Amino acid sequence: MDSYDGDGNYMHQEDDWDRDMLLDPAWEKQQRKTFTAWCNSHLRKAGTQIENIEEDFRDGLKLMLLLEVISGERLAKPERGKMRVHKISNVNKALNFIASKGVKLVCIGAEEIVDGNAKMTLGMIWTIILRFAIQDISVEGNLTFCIFKVTVCSMVPTVKHGGGGVLIWKDGLGFCALIHRHRPELIDYGKLRKDDPMTNLNTAFEVAEKYLDIPKMLDAEDIVGTARPDEKAIMTYVSSFYHAFSGAQKAETAANRICKVLAVNQENEQLMEDYEKLASDLLEWIRRTIPWLENRMPENTMQAMQQKLEDFRDYRRLHKPPKVQEKCQLEINFNTLQTKLRLSNRPAFMPSEGKMVSDINNAWGNLEGAEKGYEEWLLNEIRRLERLDHLAEKFRQKAAIHEAWTEGKEDLLQKRDYETASLSEIKALLKKHEAFESDLAAHQDRVEQIAAIAQELNELDYYDSPSVNARCQRICDQWDSLGALSQKRNEALQRTEKLLETIDQLYLEFAKRAAPFNNWMEGAMEDLQDTFIVHTIEEIQGLSTAHEQFKATLPEADKERMAILGIHNEIAKIVQTYHVNMAGTNPYTTINPQEINAKWDKVRQLVPQRDQALIEEHARQQNNERLRRQFATQANIIGPWIQNKMQEIGRISIEMHGTLEDQLTHLRQYEKSIVNYKPKIDQLEGDHQLIQEALIFDNKHTNYTMEHIRVGWEQLLTTIARTINEIENQILTRDAKGISQEQLNEFRASFNHFDRVSTASDRRQLKDGNVTCSLCCHQGENEFSRIMSIVDPNRMGIVTFQAFIDFMSRETADTDTADQVMASFKVLAGDKNYILADELRRELPPDQAEYCIARMAPYTGPDGVPGALDYMSFSTALYGESDL
């Protein structure tokens, strides 16, 4: 038998060895097979193998190669000659190396190995196995497989009932139990039978070779057919299980650490992607909305502009509020992400170009500026169109009256009736023409008014200006034509006047007085039917006063009417008295008493209608004034309320009453009270809409506009949400860093003192300020710059309380480091400086394995192989120490 000294070194005893071989030659067979398989399991890493254990080790080359593979060290340079002296030299180098590891070789020399002595060669291989595979896992110098007996003792009946030594492996249940203990999915231990050792052993050997990469070192027939299997063969085979499972355990530990780190990175990257998407969507919405708000293309009709105003109200009421919430949520998500990055020892998140929170705030400011300008433009356009409609209607009325008056006048002026008229008829025609010229002069003012209205419509860019201009031009051309024709006819009549003398002065007087009065009545009817537009009570009162003044002139006008009718009655009396053949008509004018009376009745009819219109407008202006006061009353309450709430939130954010949870509860109750105030804002929006619908453009009773209230309300909601998020992040930091409430109060007191002493935007004052711990910065400018890079990573010139807490507690934080992750990868890689994709897929979950493969750079070291990946640069990149 073999034995071991006190140090556990192998000592060969020649007599016992020979006797063992003679007593049971099956042992040598088992050892030869087992040792050969064990050697090949290592030699295949070097690309070679052995067939005959004593023949292949005779020249010492493969023996030296085996020792280099299992030890990881380089031996002395071998001799390449084929002479015996060269072989002995190589074997001696191998034996000397074994001895250098503290192993005492007894009765084993290089000559026996070179001569192919089977017993000596097997003894030497056993010594190597004992030293490099078993010694490190032995228990107090006892047999190695006792370690595994402890592992499977609860599962193998032989061990439970006092079995021991190598016999516990003979029925195969020990091997199966060992595999099942570490890899239960490979063997269903409950279905195995103790009375079927062949099946048990073959199952264990096949599973170990296929799934655990342990070569088949034993034959089931040799173990079952031997009373006592060879101890060394069993120990050698069992040690392979130990190394396999020990390596797997290390790989599992390393894989778990890597999975944890990668999970944090994946979660953070998802948050970054979510922020980028939300920021892109919000900026895109702003980009699409601003051109719409900046579109100042006016509409031609009041109805179209009113529709634009309604669309703008829908935008304010329906489309913008969700975007306000998205903007607020974006800031909260950004702050939460930065907190998680700091807690996991990751670099701060820097959004893509143009997607910083400040960029979004700038874009939002541009949106609100465009929004305000658009609303002002809409109201101005509505005023303009209202004015245009009024002027256009006035133009049409005056043009229609003038065109009705001029109808047939050109034909009348072109008549040559004076050529065949009598003297009295000529005088009548002359007087009639004089009356026409008087009437023509009286209509000159209306023509000028028509031209002035047309000019004003052009200046205000009236959409139907071409037709207005054309009509105005026709009226002016006709007026010029009438003037020329009138002058021509007057000249003709005056030439004939010398021949004609009789004229009826009474008809002439009637015509002269009736024409202005008729024109006055037409003007009065025009004024009484004229539309008006006012915006204040003072304006309608002015119109009412003018109307009362007009009514005061009616008695005098009625006297003039009676005087004119008296002239007509006098004519009729003369005609009747002197039987003058005047055909019953006035030759100097077309105006008759019936027409004067009809128009006078029309004027009297229009007066009460005008009274009613003024009364209704006065009531409307009173209602408008009520709406102004109603809006102002609420706005003067809500505006200061919002300002007070903003100041109260500012005070709450720096106070230290109670725990963070108490502060969070208080803030959420405070937020609820603010949200409950929303119906008052909605009520004010309703009042504002009534004001806009009534076309009220100013309000002297308040300095607050709806725009002021909206902006203040949005800022209030954003501020309370941001303050709650800061408290939540402080709780997250406190729990992750293990900060006590007392420490947190000390941090807050120091921060508040610093905040009062100096402004955070002043770098010099920040350095000189009396702030707790490292913020004193007495270690020099470099240390101060390092601290500022931590507490102000975005270089905004502001140190937040959250950044202050992170800095004060980060030195004691229990976080993974790049070196720890690198060491874990090295375990998975089997101590190599690189790792392969197959190794990552074998050790990590599929999604995290592919995550690493996609981001690891190719390994470029001299010891690399095709497909090698650089896990070192990847590990440092996870913590911002290099680029992925």
Side-chain angles (χ1 to χ4, degrees), residues 378-425:
L378 280 176
L379 298 178
N380 289 334
E381 276 298 304
I382 289 175
R383 293 192 192 100
R384 185 181 71 83
L385 288 176
E386 187 179 37
R387 173 67 176 164
L388 284 175
D389 287 347
H390 172 68
L391 288 176
E393 180 61 27
K394 192 171 185 178
F395 174 84
R396 286 191 290 270
Q397 289 181 359
K398 289 184 177 294
I401 293 172
H402 178 78
E403 289 169 346
W405 177 83
T406 60
E407 185 176 1
K409 293 294 190 294
E410 291 185 1
D411 294 337
L412 180 64
L413 292 174
Q414 291 175 350
K415 289 179 64 177
R416 305 180 66 84
D417 51 352
Y418 57 84
E419 293 180 353
T420 58
S422 63
L423 179 61
S424 60
E425 292 174 338

Side-chain angles (χ1 to χ4, degrees), residues 183 224 306 371 440 585 598 650 723 746 764 783 810 859:
R183 296 288 298 275
V224 174
Q306 288 284 5
E371 183 178 301
L440 185 66
T585 60
T723 304
E746 291 179 4
R764 181 184 58 79
E783 179 64 13
R810 66 178 296 157
Y859 180 73

